Amino acid sequence: MNAIIIEDEYLAAAELERLLGEVAPEITILTKLDSVSESVKWLKKNKADVIFMDIHLGDGQSFDIFEQVEVTAPVIFITAYDEYALKAFKYQGIDYILKPFDKEELQQALNKLESLSPTNTPFPVASLTVYQERFLVTVGTKMKSVTVGDVAYFMADGKYLVLFTRDGQNYILDQTISGIETKLNPAQFFKINRKFIISYNSIKEMVKYSNSRIKIVLTPVPPAGIEAIVSSERIQEFKQWLNQ
């Protein structure tokens, strides 16, 4: 299993690497990164099976990484601050260890990681999640449950995430686009860019766009002036998704 460490304190990163060598020698540390910018740059070109991540980095919080690049690997957060625990689990977090931690706590986190993989081998993030079947939404003073089969696509709109149904309705969800992605069946849904996660059934037409990108004509149509364009870095994966 390949891992990376995102930690801006050199001694803390070195100690974590040492402990991992003792409790999980099968884990290979690919690199140690100490900033948001370095992490984003690395993750845009590389992938790991698990990420060990501090929260406070030299140039911001590690949560900023998720807003700039797609992160699919499970994350074990290791930090001195306890107030971010709930937020961490919205960003691929599977465990949250407070510093100073010991070998036993690290082993427990790794046991959790192993238990999430049915084969105990490097795994895609899809194997971590029981796919969500319904989404609870609010309509005025009433509540409604929308089944996943009725979902056309999700669209990030500023600080909001909007669920669009196949019959043209839309509802605001109290989630992030990165957080919702891990709860969706990847055979049915695909994140084409930082703004859209689309259902296969919502694709009406696909048109060649500039710079070898693809424009998706969705049904129902998104709000005026908003286009669904597959980002250049997701083109190949998108074609593979369509061809599976």
Side-chain angles (χ1 to χ4, degrees):
M1 183 178 291
N2 294 323
I4 64 171
I5 295 174
I6 300 177
E7 166 67 74
D8 65 340
E9 297 180 9
Y10 173 80
L11 292 179
E15 175 65 6
L16 175 56
E17 185 174 24
R18 183 188 70 80
L19 288 176
L20 284 171
E22 293 182 10
V23 302
E26 70 278 9
I27 293 180
T28 299
I29 304 300
L30 298 177
T31 187
K32 295 193 290 291
L33 306 163
D34 63 4
S35 67
V36 171
S37 58
E38 281 192 358
S39 301
V40 169
K41 184 177 180 181
W42 192 91
L43 288 166
K44 282 183 175 179
K45 297 181 180 180
N46 307 276
K47 290 188 176 181
D49 299 310
V50 60
I51 301 173
F52 297 90
M53 184 181 290
D54 192 9
I55 289 179
H56 283 279
L57 303 175
D59 57 348
Q61 292 186 354
S62 58
F63 299 128
D64 298 335
I65 296 169
F66 298 86
E67 304 303 323
Q68 300 178 55
V69 66
E70 182 181 21
V71 179
T72 57
V75 177
I76 296 175
F77 286 92
I78 298 176
T79 178
Y81 303 89
D82 62 359
E83 63 263 36
Y84 300 104
L86 289 178
K87 188 174 182 179
F89 287 101
K90 292 184 178 180
Y91 292 94
Q92 299 291 103
I94 65 165
D95 212 335
Y96 192 92
I97 306 177
L98 288 175
K99 299 177 182 177
F101 60 91
D102 56 27
K103 190 185 299 186
E104 182 178 349
E105 290 176 296
L106 182 59
Q107 183 65 68
Q108 290 174 353
L110 293 173
N111 290 343
K112 182 181 292 187
L113 176 67
E114 184 177 4
S115 71
L116 293 171
S117 172
T119 59
N120 294 333
T121 57
F123 45 84
V125 70
S127 68
L128 299 178
T129 309
V130 176
Y131 304 129
Q132 192 160 339
E133 293 294 331
R134 292 174 292 277
F135 299 89
L136 184 63
V137 298
T138 302
V139 185
T141 59
K142 299 181 179 179
M143 302 175 74
K144 179 179 179 179
S145 183
V146 179
T147 64
V148 70
D150 290 331
V151 176
Y153 52 88
F154 300 87
M155 186 186 79
D157 185 11
K159 62 180 181 179
Y160 299 106
L161 180 67
V162 185
L163 181 159
F164 286 80
T165 61
R166 297 171 67 181
D167 63 358
Q169 302 300 309
N170 63 84
Y171 308 95
I172 294 176
L173 295 181
D174 186 21
Q175 299 194 53
T176 65
I177 195 165
S178 297
I180 202 73
E181 182 183 15
T182 63
K183 300 176 182 178
L184 300 170
N185 187 338
Q188 183 63 33
F189 291 89
F190 190 89
K191 184 179 179 183
I192 61 170
N193 55 36
R194 295 177 190 170
K195 194 175 188 69
F196 281 99
I197 295 177
I198 66 171
S199 163
Y200 177 80
N201 294 325
S202 71
I203 300 175
K204 181 179 180 180
E205 189 177 15
M206 293 179 284
V207 183
K208 289 183 179 180
Y209 201 70
S210 61
N211 299 323
S212 301
R213 293 179 295 168
I214 299 173
K215 177 181 176 180
I216 310 296
V217 179
L218 294 170
T219 180
V221 178
I226 299 178
E227 295 184 323
I229 310 294
V230 183
S231 62
S232 55
E233 62 266 24
R234 303 237 64 197
I235 286 293
Q236 292 306 316
E237 288 183 66
F238 180 66
K239 289 180 178 179
Q240 290 173 8
W241 178 68
L242 292 173
N243 199 41
Q244 65 183 344

